[in-house]
């Protein structure tokens, strides 16, 4: 910058000297002013760009939500569709929600037991707008009840948001189970399996319902890589209910948890498809007011993921699943629903070599195996269900239900391995040997259910009752043996004869019937101090196989104080019996390595008495909604059937031999950590032990702590990069107890290392809902998403199980079987 009055040729020599000296002083100030001018200009331009966003008007929409009789509905969910902006009505049925006045929007009003209503508002111009809505009582049709939105949890079952499988990194392809595994009190220790533990319970203690029908799993699966797709297809899900304890009497005979899935009924044409390096799927749905149909085909092939395991070889797993749902309502009085699922799961494996490094810095070890042999397994299952429902009036219905489950399973392998156990630094051989494993196992099972369900509502009471008869036929033929030859000696070593370390040859068959009856009432009481939600019921079960009759009283209470409706408190207590199914009935006695199997008719049902106390607190931080949940629980366990866990296979002792307890506390913070995206963090502490043979020992699921994080973020608020989102899943879970195989539970006093894993998924919306062509026309595609996942982001070596090497001296070494390493997965999804 040059000032005119400082030009030197118009001044005398003395003045010019003064001016030159002055320039050395003025120039730094001129540069500073120039920089400040640029910064001020940038700030002004930025303010001009963002002022329109700040100047957008906000409109307050308020009103009253009533039922058909004009009575206010408390705790109804009010949500702005397409966003996470939501609220609930208070005890007087009143609501208030703020929206952007410059946008057109649709409000959705929903409540359990009532029909869902939507109201569209085109650019509200007023500062406030009153909108009263009436929700008709829903004629509850089995399996098609519309339950949308998330309200306040006043009972023991929480409603979970439907997972967006298109943007979340997944290793199993089972989005619903992976969502459940991130909840408080729930844990998993293998990314290859969709099974989960809830508050110290085993995999078999979780009850799963689909459209009101109980779901069963294959029984011969022993490892996560053999698992196929779950019957639950997230593309077809309408609502997810989950209870980790203290659940109602209408749910069946399991001791730990309930997962209640309801499929949707499409009102128009729907089509979506996805593909990735791990599998692919196609979903088609169509419907009208009277008729609806959904169908899906899914394919899963995790061979790419299994290639990162320590054991190298030819992995050839193929899992195929087909599902169809049909619903027909000829009138308001009648409805017919049919569901069918067929799955064909095959697992072929030819191992070649394995090299595992383990130990400590002071004592590093290497375990090398050269294999010869193969494994061929298949699991074919069919599940069918049908219901006929008659609605006497909007508050009363009677449903007749049928379901059948059939499975044909085969497990066959002959694998021989020659191994070397060495000191990694010196290459000194600590053990050399050979082992051979053989199995020819076959199982067929058929389960048939027929039942009635009745529901009615009067004044403040909702009555629910049901009757069910179940028949089970199972036939299993099992032949297994294991040979170990360590340091030129066959184990167990005997000088006079050659013995195998383990052998089994059994043929068992079971026919059984079970009768179930339940009745429960939900009573909503209003008082000056607040709203009470009391659910109490009784469940009766009679099992023919062991001639056992059981009564299970259950009660839960929710309280929403009038003084502060941000808080809600819950109490629950009840008796939960787990009637023994086939695996629990198998009494396996091992004598000198020879296993003898029989079905124990004197076995009793395991019992768990739940005591649960919890509270929710909803609040706003950073002008975004959050909810904090805490629950403490204690479970008194009686008539336990001890078991051990090998990978994902649960091996029961077949006898009531222990009593125990489980105690813990769960915390969860849920909300919009980033505006517009749901995220949550859970933290759990737990201890579970059983008294076995006079000793208190930790149960196989004694996980002392667990932390789960599900976090979603976007790269920008607006513009091109706003279409790029990131989802992070992280889990840290304490290690579980373990011990040598085919040994007494009292020897299982070791602890595996903690399970630690982080998965990161990047998703780019090539087409988003509402996007248009340059000519203004909308795309026919609702969304098109391209994703890139980094599975096991930090490459942590997690331990799944152990292989034990024993030499002639009896010294044993536990060789860790590591899970998958770091891998990339590419995915593509489209929705019309």
């Amino acid at each position: 910058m040059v000032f005119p009055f400082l030009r030197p040729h118009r001044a005398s020599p003395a003045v010019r000297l003064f001016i030159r000296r002055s320039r050395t002083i003025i120039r730094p100030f001129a540069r500073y002013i120039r920089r400040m001018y640029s910064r001020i200009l940038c700030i002004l331009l930025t303010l001009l760009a963002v002022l329109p966003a700040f100047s957008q008007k906000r409109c307050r929409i308020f009103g009253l939500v009533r039922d058909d009789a004009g009575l206010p509905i408390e705790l109804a969910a009010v949500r702005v569709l397409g966003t996470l902006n939501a609220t609930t009505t208070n005890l007087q049925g009143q609501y208030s929600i703020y929206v952007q006045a410059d946008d057109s929007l649709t409000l959705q009003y929903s409540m359990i037991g009532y029909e869902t209503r939507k109201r569209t508002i085109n650019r509200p111009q007023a500062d406030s707008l009153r909108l009263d809505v009436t929700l008709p009582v829903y004629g509850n049709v089995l399996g098609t009840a519309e339950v949308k939105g998330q309200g306040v949890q006043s009972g023991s079952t929480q409603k979970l948001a439907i997972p967006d499988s298109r943007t979340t990194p997944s290793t199993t392809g089972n989005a619903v189970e992976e969502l459940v595994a991130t909840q408080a009190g729930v844990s998993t220790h293998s990314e290859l399996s969709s099974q989960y533990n809830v508050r110290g319970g085993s995999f078999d203690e979780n009850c799963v319902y689909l459209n009101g029908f109980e779901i069963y799993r294959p029984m011969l699966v022993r490892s996560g890589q053999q698992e196929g797709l779950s019957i639950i297809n997230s593309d077809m899900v309408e609502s997810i209910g989950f209870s980790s304890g203290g659940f109602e009497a209408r749910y069946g005979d399991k001791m730990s948890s309930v997962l209640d899935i309801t499929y949707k009924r499409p009102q128009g044409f729907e089509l979506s498809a996805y593909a990735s390096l791990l599998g692919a799927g196609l979903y088609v749905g169509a419907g009208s007011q009277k008729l609806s149909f959904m169908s899906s085909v899914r394919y899963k092939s995790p061979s790419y993921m299994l290639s990162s395991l320590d054991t190298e070889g030819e992995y050839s797993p193929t899992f195929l699943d087909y599902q169809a749902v049909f619903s027909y309502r000829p009138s308001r009085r009648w409805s017919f629903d049919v569901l069918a699922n067929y799955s064909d799961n095959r697992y072929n494996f030819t191992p070649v070599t394995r090299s595992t490094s383990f130990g400590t810095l002071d004592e590093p070890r290497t375990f090398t195996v050269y294999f010869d042999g193969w494994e061929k397994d298949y699991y074919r299952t069919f599940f069918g269900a049908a219901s006929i429902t008659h609605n006497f009036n909007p508050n009363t219905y009677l449903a007749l239900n049928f379901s059948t489950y059939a499975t044909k399973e085969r497990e066959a392998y002959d694998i021989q391995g020659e191994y070397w156990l060495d000191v990694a630094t010196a290459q000194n051989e600590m053990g050399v040997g050979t082992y051979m494993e053989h199995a020819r196992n076959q199982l067929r099972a058929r389960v048939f259910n027929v039942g009635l369900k009745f529901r009615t509502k009067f004044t403040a009471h909702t009555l629910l009752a049901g009757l069910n008869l179940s028949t089970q036929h199972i036939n299993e033929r099992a032949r297994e043996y294991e040979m170990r030859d360590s340091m030129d000696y066959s184990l167990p070593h005997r000088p006079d004869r050659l013995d195998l370390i383990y052998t089994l040859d059994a043929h068992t068959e079971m026919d059984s019937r079970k009768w179930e009856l339940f009745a429960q009432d939900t009573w909503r009481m209003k008082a000056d101090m607040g709203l009470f939600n009391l659910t109490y019921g009784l469940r009766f079960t009679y099992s023919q196989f062991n001639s056992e009759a059981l009564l299970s009283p259950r009660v839960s209470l929710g309280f929403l104080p009038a003084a502060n409706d941000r808080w809600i408190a819950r109490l629950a207590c009840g008796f939960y019996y787990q009637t023994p199914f086939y695996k629990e009935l198998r009494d396996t006695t091992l004598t000198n390595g020879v296993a003898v199997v029989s079905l124990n008719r004197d076995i009793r049902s395991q019992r768990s008495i739940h005591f649960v106390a919890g509270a929710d607190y909803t609040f706003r931080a950073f002008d975004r909604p959050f909810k904090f949940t805490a629950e403490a629980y204690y479970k008194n366990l009686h008539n336990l059937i001890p078991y051990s866990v090998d990978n994902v296979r649960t091996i029961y002792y077949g006898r009531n031999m222990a009593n125990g307890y489980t105690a813990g506390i769960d915390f969860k913070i849920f909300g919009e950590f980033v505006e517009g995206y749901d995220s949550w963090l859970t933290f759990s502490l737990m201890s579970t032990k059983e008294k076995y043979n006079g000793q208190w020992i930790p149960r196989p699921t004694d996980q002392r702590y667990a932390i789960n994080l599900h976090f979603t973020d976007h790269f920008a608020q607006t513009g091109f990069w706003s279409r790029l989102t990131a989802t992070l899943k992280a889990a840290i879970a304490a290690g579980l107890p373990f011990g040598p195989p085919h040994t007494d539970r009292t020897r299982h006093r070791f602890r595996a290392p903690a399970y630690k894993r982080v998965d990161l998924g990047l998703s780019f919306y090539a087409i988003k809902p509402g996007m248009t062509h340059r000519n203004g026309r909308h795309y026919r595609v609702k969304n098109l998403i391209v994703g890139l996942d980094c599975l096991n982001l930090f490459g942590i070596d997690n331990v799944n199980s152990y292989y034990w090497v024993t030499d002639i001296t009896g010294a044993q070494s536990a060789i860790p079987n590591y899970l998958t390493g770091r891998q990339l997965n590419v995915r593509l999804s489209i929705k019309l």
Side-chain angles (χ1 to χ4, degrees), residues 734-802:
L736 300 178
F738 73 97
H742 314 307
T743 58
D744 193 74
R745 284 269 292 109
T746 55
R747 295 187 60 187
H748 292 200
R749 294 184 174 273
F750 301 100
R751 285 271 176 180
Y755 179 82
K756 294 170 283 188
R757 184 177 176 91
V758 176
D759 294 334
L760 176 64
L762 301 178
S763 301
F764 178 73
Y765 286 80
I767 299 177
K768 294 181 66 175
M771 287 183 61
T772 60
H773 291 278
R774 293 182 179 180
N775 57 12
R777 293 183 179 180
H778 288 275
Y779 289 98
R780 294 183 179 180
V781 177
K782 287 186 179 180
N783 60 48
L784 177 63
I785 304 174
V786 181
L788 176 65
D789 300 333
C790 184
L791 307 174
N792 196 357
L793 179 64
F794 299 118
I796 300 173
D797 291 328
N798 290 303
V799 178
N800 186 31
S801 58
Y802 288 87

Side-chain angles (χ1 to χ4, degrees), residues 626-661:
F626 289 88
K627 182 172 75 172
F628 176 74
T629 301
E631 276 195 355
Y633 58 91
Y634 177 82
K635 296 194 285 189
N636 182 277
L637 308 176
H638 187 65
N639 279 343
L640 292 178
I641 305 173
Y643 63 89
S644 58
V645 179
D646 180 16
N647 204 314
V648 299
R649 189 180 193 181
T650 304
I651 305 169
Y652 291 91
Y653 285 26
R655 285 167 287 171
N656 304 105
M657 303 173 62
N659 297 319
Y661 73 88

Side-chain angles (χ1 to χ4, degrees), residues 222-238:
R222 68 172 67 220
S223 64
Q225 50 262 43
Q226 296 171 341
E227 279 190 11
L229 289 160
S230 162
I231 188 176
I232 304 171
N233 188 339
S234 59
D235 289 330
M236 307 166 78
V237 171
E238 172 71 25

Side-chain angles (χ1 to χ4, degrees), residues 243-536:
S243 175
S244 54
F247 41 90
E248 303 166 5
R250 63 187 172 119
Y251 294 118
D253 302 313
K254 300 291 184 181
M255 294 197 303
S256 290
S257 73
V258 166
L259 177 61
D260 191 358
I261 304 296
T262 301
Y263 274 174
K264 61 185 176 182
R265 173 175 293 183
Q267 297 299 314
F269 179 75
E270 299 178 353
L271 174 65
S272 64
Y274 70 91
S276 73
L277 297 179
L278 303 178
L282 174 67
Y283 158 76
V284 179
S288 61
Q289 188 173 1
K290 290 187 176 182
L291 185 67
S292 68
F293 175 78
M294 293 189 296
S295 179
S296 69
V297 178
R298 294 179 295 166
Y299 172 78
K300 174 184 173 182
S301 179
S303 55
Y304 165 70
M305 192 170 182
L306 298 179
S307 63
S308 64
L309 296 175
D310 281 351
T311 301
E312 298 180 2
E314 182 181 347
Y315 291 90
S316 182
T318 56
F319 308 126
L320 184 66
D321 173 274
Y322 174 76
Q323 196 164 162
V325 182
F326 173 81
S327 298
Y328 177 54
R329 283 186 184 178
S331 66
R332 287 181 173 269
R333 296 287 185 180
W334 292 96
S335 66
F336 304 90
D337 302 279
V338 178
L339 185 151
N341 173 264
Y342 173 76
S343 65
D344 187 351
N345 304 321
R346 298 174 181 271
Y347 177 78
N348 298 327
F349 174 47
T350 304
V352 177
T353 61
R354 167 181 172 173
S355 179
T356 302
S357 300
F358 66 103
T360 63
L361 291 176
D362 296 330
E363 297 181 352
R365 302 283 187 267
T366 59
F367 182 67
T368 305
V369 187
Y370 296 95
F371 292 102
D372 184 20
W374 50 267
E375 178 177 359
K376 294 181 180 180
D377 311 322
Y378 71 77
Y379 315 93
R380 294 175 186 153
T381 64
F382 171 79
F383 177 79
S387 66
I388 305 173
T389 305
H390 179 68
N391 295 282
F392 298 94
N393 55 57
N395 296 322
T396 306
Y397 77 86
L398 178 66
L400 176 63
N401 308 316
F402 305 89
S403 71
T404 181
Y405 171 78
T407 179
K408 182 180 179 181
E409 306 174 24
R410 185 176 185 270
E411 181 184 47
Y413 55 80
D414 281 298
I415 297 178
Q416 177 179 314
E418 297 181 357
Y419 65 83
W420 282 261
L421 178 62
D422 303 325
V423 178
T425 55
Q427 294 297 319
N428 294 330
E429 293 181 354
M430 300 180 59
V432 178
T434 301
Y435 69 89
M436 181 174 182
E437 297 176 344
H438 166 91
R440 295 294 186 274
N441 300 328
Q442 296 184 29
L443 183 142
R444 291 174 180 250
R446 294 191 306 272
V447 181
F448 179 77
N449 291 278
V450 58
L452 288 170
K453 184 174 284 188
F454 174 77
R455 177 187 179 273
T456 187
K457 182 178 181 180
F458 55 93
T459 60
H461 294 266
T462 301
L463 219 64
L464 192 63
L467 172 66
N468 188 76
L469 169 63
S470 173
T471 64
Q472 302 139 17
H473 173 78
I474 299 175
N475 188 315
E476 183 186 21
R477 185 74 170 91
R479 289 184 298 168
E480 299 178 1
Y481 67 78
E482 182 178 351
M483 182 272 292
R484 292 191 190 177
D485 185 355
S486 180
M487 302 293 287
D488 295 328
Y489 288 93
S490 179
L491 298 178
H493 175 63
R494 300 183 187 279
D496 55 340
R497 68 174 186 263
L498 181 66
D499 287 341
L500 297 174
I501 193 171
Y502 170 73
T503 179
L504 167 68
D505 189 351
H507 183 200
T508 52
E509 189 169 1
M510 184 193 80
D511 285 285
S512 178
R513 289 183 177 88
K514 185 171 68 173
W515 286 266
E516 298 171 279
L517 175 67
F518 76 89
Q520 72 175 47
D521 176 38
T522 300
W523 184 14
R524 301 173 72 87
M525 299 171 289
K526 288 183 180 179
D528 294 338
M529 60 186 306
L531 173 70
F532 292 88
N533 189 87
L534 176 65
T535 300
Y536 55 96

Side-chain angles (χ1 to χ4, degrees), residues 198-201 205 244-247 253-257 550-554 573-579 605-612 633-640 659-663 688 699:
V198 180
R199 291 180 174 175
E205 295 177 19
S244 54
F247 41 90
D253 302 313
K254 300 291 184 181
M255 294 197 303
S256 290
S257 73
L550 304 168
L551 279 176
S552 305
R554 304 173 188 179
C573 179
F575 285 69
Y576 299 86
Y577 291 94
Q578 181 151 331
T579 54
S605 296
Q606 301 178 90
R607 187 191 71 188
S608 176
I609 305 177
H610 291 196
F611 302 92
V612 183
Y633 58 91
Y634 177 82
K635 296 194 285 189
N636 182 277
L637 308 176
H638 187 65
N639 279 343
L640 292 178
N659 297 319
Y661 73 88
T662 301
T688 179
R699 303 194 73 203

